[in-house]
Amino acid sequence: MSTISRNDFLLSLASKDKNNFDSYIKHLHPIDVALYLERSTDEELDTFIKFTDVNYRARILEQASIDMQIRFLEVLEYEEIVDLFALMSNDDVADTLGNLPIHKRKALLNEMKASETQTIETLLGYSEDSAGGIMTTEFIALKKNLNVKDALLKIKEIGPKTEVIELIFVIDEEQKLFGTVDLRDIFVAEDKVLLEELTNIHVVTVYPETDQEKVSLLVSKYDLKAIPVINKQRALLGIITVDDIIDVIVQEHTEDMLRLAGVRGQDLENRSVFSSVQRRLPWLMINLGTAFLAAFTVTLFESVIAQVVALASSMSIVTGMGGNAGNQSLSVVVRGIALGELDFKKSWSLVFREMLVGITQGAIIGVLAGIILYLKVGNIMFGVIIFMAMVMNMLIATSFGFLIPLIIKRFNFDPALGSSIFLTASTDIFGFFIFLSLAKLFLPYLT
Amino acid sequence: MSTISRNDFLLSLASKDKNNFDSYIKHLHPIDVALYLERSTDEELDTFIKFTDVNYRARILEQASIDMQIRFLEVLEYEEIVDLFALMSNDDVADTLGNLPIHKRKALLNEMKASETQTIETLLGYSEDSAGGIMTTEFIALKKNLNVKDALLKIKEIGPKTEVIELIFVIDEEQKLFGTVDLRDIFVAEDKVLLEELTNIHVVTVYPETDQEKVSLLVSKYDLKAIPVINKQRALLGIITVDDIIDVIVQEHTEDMLRLAGVRGQDLENRSVFSSVQRRLPWLMINLGTAFLAAFTVTLFESVIAQVVALASSMSIVTGMGGNAGNQSLSVVVRGIALGELDFKKSWSLVFREMLVGITQGAIIGVLAGIILYLKVGNIMFGVIIFMAMVMNMLIATSFGFLIPLIIKRFNFDPALGSSIFLTASTDIFGFFIFLSLAKLFLPYLT
C-alpha cells in the first residue's frame, strides 16, 4: 500500500507542493497518512489542513492518535471542528472529545447541535475501558415484524451509515433487543417472511459497564462479528465490532507484558529518556527494597560464609534458578487469567499440581547442580545441600508463581501488576535462607 | 449463553438421557458444547455421536480442539467422516486432516471425491503459521464487468456458502484480483453500473507463504474485515477473515509471553505434571549453565570476599537490580517487535537512548543503594562502589535488554525465545564481575 515514504510525503507539505501532495494521498491509505503526520511540524500540519477538504480531514482525524488529534484540533477554529465532527461517527467524536481539556470539550459541545450532543454526552459518560466506551451507535436495528422485502429496503438505505451490515439487530415493539439476523438469511428468504422468523434469539450481549477485556474474550471465544451492548431493560444501546476488539486485544496484551516486567503505561512510542525513566523507576524502587531484604537475609549468615567462602558463589545458583522457575509459572498463570481460563475460585486447587511440577524440576536440576558442585568443590555435602535447597526453593517458586497472580486478581487488581517483583523477592529471600540455613546446620561437614 | 453447566451436560450423556440432552443443546452455543466435550469420557463421546446428526457433528468438529478432533475421528467410520467433511468448509477440513496421522489422512483423502480433495491437498501444503495455512477458500469473487443487478443475484446465491459477504472480491478476465467492492456501495448503485466502477483497487494483499503474524499486523493496522491471499501472478487463492486473525493474535501473544519466560509450546491446557515439566525444563537446564558461569565469576573473587564478608550480601543487590531493569527494556522491545514498530535495521540506533535510560536509572538507584549501604556497613567506600557498579550494570542491562531481542530477530528467530535467559546471564556475570572487581581495587579502603 504505502509506496510513498514518510519523507516524500512530509517534503510535499514542507515545500507546499500541492500537485505532489495530491498525487501522493491518492496512493496512500488514510491510516498511513495519519501515521506520517505524527512526525510533521506544526507548519506542515497547517499546510496539510490547507491542502485537504473537510471530508478528508475527518477520515484522518478518525485514524489519528490522541496526541495527533489534540494537535489537529488546536489548529482549527471551533466552527471548523464542529463541521468536522458532523462527518465523523458519534463514537469517534466522543473519543476525540474525551481526550481534550474539559474547557475545550464543553465549548465544543455548546457549539454543536443539541440533537447531536445527546448521544455524544452519553458516550462520554462511559469509562474508556468499558463496553460503553468502545461501542458505536451506528448500527442497523429493525423491528421484528418487518418483512424481508421492507427489511432489505431499509438495509440499503441505512447500510452506508453503519459499521456492520452482515449482522442485523432485531428489536421488539418496546425497542428491546430481540435477536440478530444474518444478512445471508434475509437474502435467501421469500419477500413476505417476517424478520422474527429468521432471528437467532440466542445472542451474546454485554452491558455498557462490562470491562473491555471481558468483551474481547466473548468476541474471540464465540467468533462474533459484532456484539450488542444493552441495558438492564434489554434496550439496545450500541454495538461493538470485531475490528475495535482487535485494538482492545492488542492494547491489553501490551499492558500485560509491560506490567509483568514492571513498566507503567501501555504506549510504546515514548521518545524522551525522562518519560522512560518515569515509567520504569517506581517498580525498580520497590525492587530495591526487596533486594535489600534479600541481602539482609544473607547478612544473618555472614559468620557461616566467613568460614566457607565457596557458599557465596553457590548461593546465587539457588536463587537464580528459583526466580526463573517461578517466572515460568507466573507467565503461564497470568496468560491463563487473561484468556479467562483461570481464576482464584476455580483454580486455586491446581496449586498442588504446580507444587509437584516444582518438586520434580527441583529434583532434576538439584541433582545436576549437586553433582557439578561436588566435582568443583570436592565435598559431597555441598552437593547434598544444594540439592535440598533447590527442591525446596523450586517448590516455593512454582507455588508462589502460581498463587501470586491469582491472589492479586482476587482483589481486583491487574494480576500482571508487580507479580514478578513479589515473586523474585520470595525466591531470593527464601532461596538464600534455605541454602544458608542448611549450610549452617551441616557446617561441620563443609569445613 | 451457557446457562447449562458442563456437569449437567455430561450427565445427560452419561445417563443416556436423550430428552434432557436435546433440550440442553438447544440452549448451548456449539463452541460451549465443543468445550464441554473436552472433558467427556470415550463412552460419553460415543453417546454424543449417537444422539446427534451429521450436520450438528460437523458444526462441533469445526470448533473442537486438535485433541478433540482426533478423538472424534477415532470413533467414526471412514465413510461417516467423509460425510462429515462434506458439510465442513475446505479450510476446516484441511486443518482437521493436518492434525491426523499421515496414514489416516491419506486413507481419508482416498475415500473423498477427487473434486474435493484438490483444494484440500493444496491447503494441506501450506505451513500452519502462514497465510495459506489460515486462509479460507470460501469467498465471493465476481467478474469486474458484471453489473450491479447481476452481481446482487450472484451474491444472494453464493452468499450462504461464504465467510464474508460485506466485502466482495472483484477479478478481471484472467482471474486476477482487480480489487474489492463494499456491499453497501453495490446496494446504493444503479442496476446498470458495472462492478469495476465501484471497485477499490488499492487493496492490501498477502502471499500464501506470508507469516501469520505479519498478516495479523496488516489486518489490525488497516482495520480490515478480510485480506485476500494472492500468488505472484495476482490470482486470488483465498481470503483470511478478521475472526481468524483474532485467534492468530491471541495465539502469538501467548507464545511470546511464555517463550519470554522460557516455557515451550503455546497450549495452556496441559494437565499432566510430566508435560509441564517437559515444556519448562529445557530452558531451566540452559539456565543452570549460565547460573554456574555467574557462580564461577564469584569464585574468582573468593579471596576478596573472605576478607570482606559483607560483599557476599551486597553483590546480589547489583545483579538483582540489573536483571529487573534489563527485563523492563526487554519486554518493551519484544512487544515493539511484535507490533511491527521495531526492527534491527531501523531501530538499533535507539540503543543510545536506552543506554541513557540505564545510566539515569543506575545513578538514581545507585545513590539510594549507596546511602543505605553506607548507613548499614558504616563505610563510605562501600556506598561508592555499589553506586558505580549499579550505574555500569544498569547500562549493560538496558542496552543488552534492548539489543538481544533485535539481534535474535535479525537472524529470523523468535525474539522472545530465550532472550530473558541471555539477558539475566549477562547482568549476573557482569554485575558480579564489576562489583567484585571494584571491591578488589578498593580493598584497602574496605577492610
Side-chain angles (χ1 to χ4, degrees):
Chain A
M1 283 290 296
S2 52
T3 43
I4 319 287
S5 76
R6 172 175 12 223
N7 280 344
D8 286 344
F9 174 77
L10 291 180
L11 203 65
S12 73
L13 287 173
S15 60
K16 302 201 162 59
D17 185 340
K18 178 108 170 66
N19 283 337
N20 258 346
F21 174 80
D22 286 343
S23 77
Y24 287 169
I25 59 168
K26 224 179 284 171
H27 293 283
L28 280 171
H29 196 288
I31 289 171
D32 286 317
V33 173
L35 278 175
Y36 286 2
L37 279 175
E38 294 278 337
R39 300 281 173 91
S40 64
T41 63
D42 287 346
E43 213 192 320
E44 286 162 357
L45 191 61
D46 263 341
T47 312
F48 174 80
I49 287 168
K50 280 198 199 89
F51 279 2
T52 49
D53 63 14
V54 65
N55 275 300
Y56 193 77
R57 289 203 291 266
R59 287 178 67 191
I60 298 301
L61 193 58
E62 285 182 341
Q63 308 289 355
S65 70
I66 297 175
D67 286 353
M68 194 63 220
Q69 289 181 345
I70 294 174
R71 280 183 65 199
F72 218 96
L73 296 187
E74 268 167 8
V75 185
L76 298 172
E77 300 291 323
Y78 278 4
E79 277 170 49
E80 289 177 300
I81 297 175
V82 172
D83 289 348
L84 208 57
F85 281 175
L87 294 162
M88 290 164 60
S89 66
N90 281 334
D91 56 320
D92 283 324
V93 174
D95 287 346
T96 309
L97 281 172
N99 296 324
L100 295 179
I102 293 185
H103 70 270
K104 192 153 189 178
R105 188 194 307 169
K106 282 196 176 155
L108 278 168
L109 282 167
N110 283 337
E111 291 273 326
M112 292 164 75
K113 273 185 245 157
S115 61
E116 279 166 6
T117 54
Q118 207 188 346
T119 322
I120 291 168
E121 279 179 337
T122 314
L123 287 173
L124 274 169
Y126 300 120
S127 143
E128 260 192 299
D129 298 339
S130 69
I134 55 172
M135 73 183 185
T136 168
T137 49
E138 273 91 23
F139 55 88
I140 306 186
L142 301 177
K143 292 262 164 68
K144 66 176 188 172
N145 56 6
L146 212 61
N147 68 34
V148 159
K149 193 183 169 194
D150 293 339
L152 263 176
L153 286 174
K154 277 269 184 204
I155 293 167
K156 287 183 185 179
E157 186 194 321
I158 319 172
K161 287 177 224 128
T162 64
E163 284 208 21
V164 184
I165 188 172
E166 283 194 23
L167 202 63
I168 311 292
F169 295 89
V170 183
I171 49 177
D172 64 16
E173 299 75 21
E174 296 165 292
Q175 310 285 332
K176 288 180 184 170
L177 179 67
F178 178 66
T180 57
V181 184
D182 192 311
L183 182 61
R184 297 174 185 78
D185 294 331
I186 298 185
F187 273 163
V188 293
E190 301 283 324
D191 279 357
K192 294 280 169 223
V193 174
L194 296 184
L195 282 189
E196 65 180 314
E197 297 170 51
L198 303 173
T199 302
N200 164 28
I201 58 168
H202 297 295
V203 179
V204 184
T205 57
V206 290
Y207 296 119
E209 54 276 12
T210 308
D211 186 78
Q212 62 173 5
E213 195 163 8
K214 177 113 192 272
V215 181
S216 74
L217 286 176
L218 287 171
V219 171
S220 114
K221 180 177 176 193
Y222 293 109
D223 283 345
L224 306 175
K225 294 217 161 62
I227 190 165
V229 183
I230 59 173
N231 65 14
K232 305 283 174 201
Q233 289 76 42
R234 280 193 76 81
L236 186 56
L237 304 177
I239 65 162
I240 300 167
T241 55
V242 66
D243 51 313
D244 291 328
I245 289 299
I246 285 197
D247 298 340
V248 170
I249 293 176
V250 170
Q251 179 196 333
E252 296 277 343
H253 285 179
T254 305
E255 256 180 38
D256 269 4
M257 199 133 167
L258 297 188
R259 278 187 179 163
L260 201 56
V263 180
R264 289 199 299 182
Q266 30 142 308
D267 188 16
L268 291 173
E269 286 254 1
N270 56 317
R271 280 164 218 144
S272 81
V273 172
F274 176 74
S275 82
S276 277
V277 172
Q278 219 184 7
R279 293 167 60 215
R280 303 185 194 177
L281 204 55
W283 279 113
L284 286 181
M285 295 285 210
I286 296 172
N287 212 75
L288 186 63
T290 63
F292 266 100
L293 264 179
F296 176 72
T297 315
V298 178
T299 315
L300 299 176
F301 298 91
E302 268 180 4
S303 63
V304 182
I305 296 173
Q307 291 174 67
V308 189
V309 184
L311 290 173
S313 59
S314 10
M315 65 185 187
S316 66
I317 298 173
V318 177
T319 54
M321 296 306 298
N324 279 292
N327 264 317
Q328 291 182 329
S329 305
L330 197 67
S331 52
V332 170
V333 176
V334 168
R335 194 63 193 133
I337 295 174
L339 293 177
E341 290 169 6
L342 297 175
D343 66 43
F344 188 79
K345 239 175 83 188
K346 72 176 178 199
S347 317
W348 72 267
S349 61
L350 288 173
V351 73
F352 298 111
R353 202 195 69 92
E354 200 66 22
M355 288 165 90
L356 271 180
V357 172
I359 293 172
T360 315
Q361 286 177 342
I364 299 173
I365 297 285
V367 163
L368 282 173
I371 293 173
I372 301 174
L373 211 59
Y374 162 61
L375 294 176
K376 202 179 132 200
V377 186
N379 180 327
I380 187 89
M381 208 54 206
F382 237 102
V384 175
I385 287 177
I386 205 165
F387 168 79
M388 290 193 287
M390 196 70 88
V391 173
M392 287 192 253
N393 202 30
M394 286 242 181
L395 172 64
I396 287 169
T398 53
S399 45
F400 279 40
F402 187 84
L403 285 179
I404 290 172
L406 287 177
I407 292 171
I408 297 181
K409 172 78 183 172
R410 174 71 188 74
F411 291 103
N412 284 323
F413 291 104
D414 187 320
L417 201 62
S419 37
S420 179
I421 308 276
F422 296 129
L423 173 80
T424 48
S426 323
T427 50
D428 280 358
I429 294 168
F430 282 104
F432 285 139
F433 188 82
I434 294 168
F435 181 66
L436 294 173
S437 295
L438 287 169
K440 195 176 176 181
L441 199 63
F442 296 101
L443 196 57
Y445 305 95
L446 294 176
T447 42
Chain B
M1 284 292 294
S2 51
T3 43
I4 318 290
S5 74
R6 180 187 351 236
N7 280 345
D8 286 345
F9 173 79
L10 291 180
L11 204 65
S12 73
L13 287 173
S15 61
K16 301 201 163 64
D17 183 340
K18 178 106 168 70
N19 283 337
N20 258 346
F21 175 80
D22 285 343
S23 78
Y24 287 169
I25 60 166
K26 224 181 283 171
H27 292 283
L28 280 170
H29 196 287
I31 290 172
D32 287 317
V33 174
L35 279 175
Y36 286 0
L37 281 175
E38 294 278 336
R39 299 280 174 90
S40 64
T41 63
D42 287 346
E43 212 192 323
E44 286 163 357
L45 191 62
D46 263 340
T47 314
F48 173 81
I49 286 169
K50 278 196 200 89
F51 279 0
T52 48
D53 63 15
V54 64
N55 274 300
Y56 192 77
R57 289 203 291 265
R59 286 179 67 193
I60 298 300
L61 192 58
E62 284 182 342
Q63 307 290 356
S65 70
I66 297 176
D67 286 353
M68 194 62 221
Q69 288 181 346
I70 294 172
R71 280 183 64 201
F72 217 95
L73 297 187
E74 268 167 9
V75 184
L76 298 171
E77 301 290 322
Y78 278 3
E79 275 171 49
E80 289 177 300
I81 297 176
V82 172
D83 288 347
L84 209 57
F85 281 175
L87 292 162
M88 290 165 60
S89 66
N90 280 334
D91 56 320
D92 282 325
V93 174
D95 286 346
T96 309
L97 281 172
N99 296 324
L100 294 179
I102 292 184
H103 67 95
K104 191 152 188 181
R105 187 193 309 170
K106 281 195 177 157
L108 278 168
L109 281 167
N110 283 337
E111 290 275 326
M112 292 165 76
K113 273 185 244 155
S115 60
E116 278 167 6
T117 54
Q118 204 186 351
T119 321
I120 290 168
E121 281 181 335
T122 312
L123 286 173
L124 273 170
Y126 300 119
S127 142
E128 260 192 299
D129 297 339
S130 69
I134 55 172
M135 73 183 185
T136 165
T137 48
E138 272 92 21
F139 56 88
I140 308 186
L142 301 177
K143 291 265 165 64
K144 67 177 189 172
N145 55 7
L146 211 63
N147 69 33
V148 160
K149 194 183 169 192
D150 294 339
L152 264 176
L153 287 174
K154 276 271 182 202
I155 293 166
K156 288 184 186 180
E157 185 193 323
I158 318 172
K161 286 176 225 130
T162 65
E163 285 210 22
V164 185
I165 188 172
E166 281 192 28
L167 202 63
I168 310 294
F169 295 88
V170 183
I171 50 177
D172 63 15
E173 299 75 21
E174 296 165 292
Q175 309 284 332
K176 289 182 186 171
L177 180 67
F178 178 66
T180 58
V181 184
D182 192 310
L183 181 61
R184 296 174 185 79
D185 296 329
I186 299 183
F187 273 165
V188 292
E190 300 284 324
D191 279 358
K192 295 279 168 222
V193 174
L194 297 184
L195 282 188
E196 64 181 312
E197 297 169 50
L198 303 173
T199 303
N200 164 28
I201 56 168
H202 297 293
V203 179
V204 185
T205 57
V206 290
Y207 296 118
E209 55 276 12
T210 308
D211 186 78
Q212 63 174 2
E213 197 165 8
K214 175 110 193 274
V215 180
S216 75
L217 286 176
L218 286 171
V219 170
S220 116
K221 179 176 177 193
Y222 293 109
D223 284 345
L224 306 175
K225 296 215 161 60
I227 191 167
V229 183
I230 59 172
N231 65 13
K232 304 284 175 202
Q233 289 77 45
R234 279 192 77 80
L236 186 56
L237 305 177
I239 65 163
I240 300 166
T241 55
V242 65
D243 51 309
D244 290 329
I245 289 300
I246 286 196
D247 299 340
V248 170
I249 292 176
V250 171
Q251 178 196 332
E252 293 279 343
H253 186 69
T254 304
E255 254 180 40
D256 270 4
M257 201 134 163
L258 297 189
R259 278 187 180 164
L260 202 56
V263 180
R264 287 200 299 184
Q266 29 141 310
D267 188 16
L268 292 173
E269 286 254 0
N270 55 316
R271 278 163 222 147
S272 82
V273 172
F274 176 74
S275 84
S276 277
V277 172
Q278 217 185 8
R279 291 168 61 216
R280 302 184 195 179
L281 205 55
W283 279 112
L284 286 180
M285 294 285 211
I286 296 173
N287 211 73
L288 186 63
T290 64
F292 265 100
L293 263 181
F296 177 71
T297 315
V298 178
T299 316
L300 299 177
F301 298 91
E302 267 180 5
S303 63
V304 182
I305 296 172
Q307 292 174 64
V308 189
V309 183
L311 290 173
S313 59
S314 8
M315 64 185 188
S316 66
I317 299 173
V318 177
T319 53
M321 295 306 297
N324 279 292
N327 265 317
Q328 291 183 329
S329 305
L330 197 69
S331 53
V332 170
V333 176
V334 168
R335 194 64 190 134
I337 294 173
L339 293 176
E341 289 168 7
L342 297 175
D343 66 44
F344 188 78
K345 236 173 87 188
K346 72 178 179 200
S347 317
W348 72 267
S349 61
L350 288 172
V351 74
F352 297 111
R353 203 196 70 92
E354 200 67 22
M355 287 166 89
L356 272 179
V357 172
I359 293 173
T360 314
Q361 286 177 342
I364 299 172
I365 297 286
V367 163
L368 283 173
I371 293 173
I372 303 173
L373 211 59
Y374 163 60
L375 294 175
K376 199 179 135 201
V377 186
N379 180 325
I380 185 88
M381 208 55 207
F382 237 103
V384 174
I385 287 176
I386 205 166
F387 168 81
M388 291 193 287
M390 197 69 88
V391 173
M392 287 192 255
N393 202 30
M394 286 243 180
L395 172 64
I396 287 168
T398 52
S399 45
F400 279 41
F402 188 84
L403 285 179
I404 290 172
L406 287 178
I407 292 170
I408 297 180
K409 173 76 183 172
R410 174 71 189 72
F411 290 103
N412 285 322
F413 292 104
D414 187 322
L417 200 63
S419 37
S420 181
I421 308 276
F422 295 129
L423 174 79
T424 48
S426 322
T427 51
D428 279 358
I429 294 168
F430 281 104
F432 285 139
F433 187 80
I434 294 168
F435 180 67
L436 295 173
S437 294
L438 287 170
K440 193 174 177 183
L441 199 63
F442 296 101
L443 194 58
Y445 305 94
L446 295 176
T447 41

